[in-house]
């Protein structure tokens, strides 16, 4: 909803580093999204619950480092080798005031510990970039190859033939 988006926009702009945060409107096509991913140093995907998360896998597929919650579907392909993971210990009612209104269950609580993990991972990536380190996520590329359309089709055909 526009109220939800406005709240996030205000939160970002009023933060201590608000002048360094870029907010984007919806992109009109996939090429614009691909350009943004290409110029980024890292994909950041903190979530309390998540489905497959194609943008995360897309970042991996072009060798971008990723920071991701170690929950839900992420656990099916994010590892300590191909991702910087944010661990969770608490559960809370799934409520964000927009999409989830507490009627469908629980999710992982993103608290101060998770925020600190995220900040440390971001600092790690920044430091590595400042030191001139190659940030290419080769393990992420290898992971993404397992989820290509061809590999998916091959697995479906294999299952049909079994």
């Amino acid at each position: 909803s526009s109220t939800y988006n406005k709240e996030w926009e205000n939160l970002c702009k009023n933060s201590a580093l608000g002048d360094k945060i870029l907010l984007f409107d919806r992109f009109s096509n996939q090429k614009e999204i691909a350009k943004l991913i290409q110029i980024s140093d890292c994909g950041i995907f903190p979530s309390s619950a998540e489905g497959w998360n194609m943008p995360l896998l897309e970042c991996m597929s072009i060798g971008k480092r990723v920071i991701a919650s170690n929950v839900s579907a992420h656990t099916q392909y994010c590892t300590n080798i191909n991702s910087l993971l944010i661990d969770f210990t608490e559960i809370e009612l799934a409520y964000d005031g927009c999409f989830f209104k507490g009627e469908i269950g629980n999710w992982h609580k993103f608290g101060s510990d998770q925020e600190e993990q995220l900040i440390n991972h971001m600092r790690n990536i920044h430091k590595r970039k400042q030191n001139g380190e190659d940030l290419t996520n080769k393990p992420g590329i290898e992971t993404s190859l397992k989820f290509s359309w061809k590999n998916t089709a091959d697995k479906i055909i294999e299952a049909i033939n079994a």
Side-chain angles (χ1 to χ4, degrees), residues 146 148-161:
K146 296 176 189 173
S148 68
W149 286 113
K150 180 184 179 335
N151 193 44
T152 301
D154 288 347
K155 294 288 183 188
I156 291 170
I157 290 169
E158 183 180 305
I160 291 170
N161 289 334

Side-chain angles (χ1 to χ4, degrees), residues 56-73:
L56 190 158
L57 201 55
E58 289 166 349
C59 284
M60 281 186 176
S61 75
I62 62 169
K64 295 297 176 179
R65 293 285 169 183
V66 294
I67 299 170
S69 299
N70 194 16
V71 299
S72 302

Side-chain angles (χ1 to χ4, degrees), residues 125-143:
I125 293 293
H126 179 70
K127 182 179 179 182
R128 292 168 65 189
K129 181 181 180 181
Q130 296 305 105
N131 290 336
E133 186 177 328
D134 178 11
L135 295 178
T136 305
N137 185 358
K138 292 176 184 160
I141 294 171
E142 291 174 26
T143 297

Side-chain angles (χ1 to χ4, degrees), residues 43-61:
I44 302 173
F45 303 92
S47 61
S48 297
E50 184 59 59
W52 191 247
N53 198 344
M54 283 301 294
L56 190 158
L57 201 55
E58 289 166 349
C59 284
M60 281 186 176
S61 75

Side-chain angles (χ1 to χ4, degrees), residues 8-134:
W8 272 105
E9 185 177 326
N10 290 335
L11 179 67
C12 291
K13 289 187 179 200
N14 295 325
S15 70
L17 296 174
D19 61 327
K20 299 190 183 309
I21 298 172
L22 297 174
L23 299 173
F24 298 92
D25 290 327
R26 278 191 140 334
F27 292 103
S28 60
N29 59 55
Q30 291 173 311
K31 288 182 182 181
E32 290 179 3
I33 296 169
K35 285 179 190 175
L36 177 64
I37 293 172
Q38 190 62 43
I39 64 170
S40 300
D41 295 323
C42 180
I44 302 173
F45 303 92
S47 61
S48 297
E50 184 59 59
W52 191 247
N53 198 344
M54 283 301 294
L56 190 158
L57 201 55
E58 289 166 349
C59 284
M60 281 186 176
S61 75
I62 62 169
K64 295 297 176 179
R65 293 285 169 183
V66 294
I67 299 170
S69 299
N70 194 16
V71 299
S72 302
H74 294 167
T75 63
Q76 298 301 303
Y77 60 95
C78 291
T79 67
N80 286 320
I81 296 170
N82 64 22
S83 308
L84 296 169
L85 298 172
I86 301 168
D87 292 315
F88 289 73
T89 55
E90 296 181 54
I91 301 291
E92 67 180 358
L93 191 63
Y95 180 85
D96 65 9
C98 182
F99 302 107
F100 300 95
K101 300 195 171 136
E103 71 277 356
I104 62 166
N106 299 320
W107 59 21
H108 294 84
K109 181 178 181 183
F110 194 93
S112 58
D113 182 51
Q114 288 67 40
E115 183 179 333
E116 193 61 33
Q117 290 176 64
L118 174 61
I119 290 167
N120 287 334
H121 289 323
M122 291 171 68
R123 286 181 177 147
N124 174 305
I125 293 293
H126 179 70
K127 182 179 179 182
R128 292 168 65 189
K129 181 181 180 181
Q130 296 305 105
N131 290 336
E133 186 177 328
D134 178 11

